[in-house]
PDB file of all heavy atoms in Angstrom:
ATOM      1  N   ARG W  79      -9.285   7.896   9.387  1.00 74.00           N
ATOM      2  CA  ARG W  79      -8.492   6.844  10.040  1.00 74.00           C
ATOM      3  C   ARG W  79      -9.026   5.462   9.693  1.00 74.00           C
ATOM      4  O   ARG W  79      -8.259   4.502   9.572  1.00 74.00           O
ATOM      5  CB  ARG W  79      -8.480   7.051  11.554  1.00 74.00           C
ATOM      6  CG  ARG W  79      -7.566   8.189  12.015  1.00 74.00           C
ATOM      7  CD  ARG W  79      -7.385   8.164  13.527  1.00 74.00           C
ATOM      8  NE  ARG W  79      -8.617   8.541  14.221  1.00 74.00           N
ATOM      9  CZ  ARG W  79      -8.920   9.784  14.566  1.00 74.00           C
ATOM     10  NH1 ARG W  79      -8.103  10.771  14.285  1.00 74.00           N
ATOM     11  NH2 ARG W  79     -10.056  10.039  15.205  1.00 74.00           N
ATOM     12  N   SER W  80     -10.347   5.344   9.517  1.00 66.00           N
ATOM     13  CA  SER W  80     -10.950   4.032   9.250  1.00 66.00           C
ATOM     14  C   SER W  80     -10.497   3.451   7.920  1.00 66.00           C
ATOM     15  O   SER W  80     -10.476   2.236   7.737  1.00 66.00           O
ATOM     16  CB  SER W  80     -12.479   4.133   9.282  1.00 66.00           C
ATOM     17  OG  SER W  80     -12.984   4.785   8.136  1.00 66.00           O
ATOM     18  N   VAL W  81     -10.154   4.328   6.955  1.00 59.00           N
ATOM     19  CA  VAL W  81      -9.650   3.840   5.667  1.00 59.00           C
ATOM     20  C   VAL W  81      -8.131   3.964   5.588  1.00 59.00           C
ATOM     21  O   VAL W  81      -7.529   3.724   4.544  1.00 59.00           O
ATOM     22  CB  VAL W  81     -10.298   4.593   4.484  1.00 59.00           C
ATOM     23  CG1 VAL W  81     -11.783   4.349   4.447  1.00 59.00           C
ATOM     24  CG2 VAL W  81      -9.993   6.092   4.519  1.00 59.00           C
ATOM     25  N   GLY W  82      -7.504   4.330   6.714  1.00 59.00           N
ATOM     26  CA  GLY W  82      -6.048   4.378   6.771  1.00 59.00           C
ATOM     27  C   GLY W  82      -5.426   5.539   6.023  1.00 59.00           C
ATOM     28  O   GLY W  82      -4.252   5.484   5.654  1.00 59.00           O
ATOM     29  N   PHE W  83      -6.210   6.626   5.777  1.00 63.00           N
ATOM     30  CA  PHE W  83      -5.651   7.742   5.016  1.00 63.00           C
ATOM     31  C   PHE W  83      -4.538   8.407   5.811  1.00 63.00           C
ATOM     32  O   PHE W  83      -4.690   8.719   6.981  1.00 63.00           O
ATOM     33  CB  PHE W  83      -6.726   8.768   4.682  1.00 63.00           C
ATOM     34  CG  PHE W  83      -6.170   9.962   3.934  1.00 63.00           C
ATOM     35  CD1 PHE W  83      -5.795   9.840   2.611  1.00 63.00           C
ATOM     36  CD2 PHE W  83      -5.982  11.177   4.572  1.00 63.00           C
ATOM     37  CE1 PHE W  83      -5.259  10.919   1.928  1.00 63.00           C
ATOM     38  CE2 PHE W  83      -5.442  12.264   3.898  1.00 63.00           C
ATOM     39  CZ  PHE W  83      -5.087  12.132   2.569  1.00 63.00           C
ATOM     40  N   LYS W  84      -3.404   8.615   5.117  1.00 60.00           N
ATOM     41  CA  LYS W  84      -2.264   9.261   5.750  1.00 60.00           C
ATOM     42  C   LYS W  84      -1.818  10.445   4.904  1.00 60.00           C
ATOM     43  O   LYS W  84      -1.904  10.424   3.682  1.00 60.00           O
ATOM     44  CB  LYS W  84      -1.112   8.271   5.919  1.00 60.00           C
ATOM     45  CG  LYS W  84      -1.459   7.115   6.848  1.00 60.00           C
ATOM     46  CD  LYS W  84      -0.308   6.135   6.968  1.00 60.00           C
ATOM     47  CE  LYS W  84      -0.666   4.975   7.882  1.00 60.00           C
ATOM     48  NZ  LYS W  84       0.416   3.984   7.985  1.00 60.00           N
ATOM     49  N   ASN W  85      -1.331  11.451   5.570  1.00 52.00           N
ATOM     50  CA  ASN W  85      -0.878  12.662   4.904  1.00 52.00           C
ATOM     51  C   ASN W  85       0.205  12.354   3.882  1.00 52.00           C
ATOM     52  O   ASN W  85       1.164  11.644   4.166  1.00 52.00           O
ATOM     53  CB  ASN W  85      -0.333  13.623   5.962  1.00 52.00           C
ATOM     54  CG  ASN W  85       0.409  14.796   5.336  1.00 52.00           C
ATOM     55  OD1 ASN W  85      -0.008  15.297   4.312  1.00 52.00           O
ATOM     56  ND2 ASN W  85       1.476  15.210   5.971  1.00 52.00           N
ATOM     57  N   ARG W  86       0.046  12.919   2.691  1.00 47.00           N
ATOM     58  CA  ARG W  86       1.100  12.857   1.681  1.00 47.00           C
ATOM     59  C   ARG W  86       1.466  14.273   1.243  1.00 47.00           C
ATOM     60  O   ARG W  86       1.665  14.550   0.070  1.00 47.00           O
ATOM     61  CB  ARG W  86       0.673  12.015   0.476  1.00 47.00           C
ATOM     62  CG  ARG W  86       0.747  10.517   0.736  1.00 47.00           C
ATOM     63  CD  ARG W  86       0.390   9.732  -0.515  1.00 47.00           C
ATOM     64  NE  ARG W  86       0.539   8.309  -0.276  1.00 47.00           N
ATOM     65  CZ  ARG W  86       1.620   7.618  -0.606  1.00 47.00           C
ATOM     66  NH1 ARG W  86       2.644   8.207  -1.161  1.00 47.00           N
ATOM     67  NH2 ARG W  86       1.686   6.319  -0.384  1.00 47.00           N
ATOM     68  N   GLY W  87       1.481  15.183   2.204  1.00 44.00           N
ATOM     69  CA  GLY W  87       1.882  16.547   1.898  1.00 44.00           C
ATOM     70  C   GLY W  87       0.913  17.290   1.013  1.00 44.00           C
ATOM     71  O   GLY W  87       1.288  18.149   0.231  1.00 44.00           O
ATOM     72  N   GLY W  88      -0.369  16.931   1.118  1.00 42.00           N
ATOM     73  CA  GLY W  88      -1.374  17.713   0.419  1.00 42.00           C
ATOM     74  C   GLY W  88      -1.759  17.200  -0.940  1.00 42.00           C
ATOM     75  O   GLY W  88      -2.513  17.840  -1.661  1.00 42.00           O
ATOM     76  N   THR W  89      -1.257  16.066  -1.377  1.00 44.00           N
ATOM     77  CA  THR W  89      -1.647  15.543  -2.674  1.00 44.00           C
ATOM     78  C   THR W  89      -2.268  14.166  -2.515  1.00 44.00           C
ATOM     79  O   THR W  89      -1.879  13.393  -1.659  1.00 44.00           O
ATOM     80  CB  THR W  89      -0.458  15.457  -3.641  1.00 44.00           C
ATOM     81  OG1 THR W  89      -0.914  14.893  -4.867  1.00 44.00           O
ATOM     82  CG2 THR W  89       0.658  14.578  -3.099  1.00 44.00           C
ATOM     83  N   LEU W  90      -3.234  13.893  -3.360  1.00 44.00           N
ATOM     84  CA  LEU W  90      -3.838  12.554  -3.376  1.00 44.00           C
ATOM     85  C   LEU W  90      -3.355  11.762  -4.575  1.00 44.00           C
ATOM     86  O   LEU W  90      -3.837  10.685  -4.848  1.00 44.00           O
ATOM     87  CB  LEU W  90      -5.362  12.676  -3.422  1.00 44.00           C
ATOM     88  CG  LEU W  90      -6.035  12.965  -2.088  1.00 44.00           C
ATOM     89  CD1 LEU W  90      -7.512  13.203  -2.291  1.00 44.00           C
ATOM     90  CD2 LEU W  90      -5.831  11.801  -1.143  1.00 44.00           C
TER      91      LEU W  90
END
Side-chain angles (χ1 to χ4, degrees):
R79 285 191 290 269
S80 74
V81 297
F83 178 73
K84 297 179 181 178
N85 169 38
R86 283 183 177 263
T89 178
L90 280 174

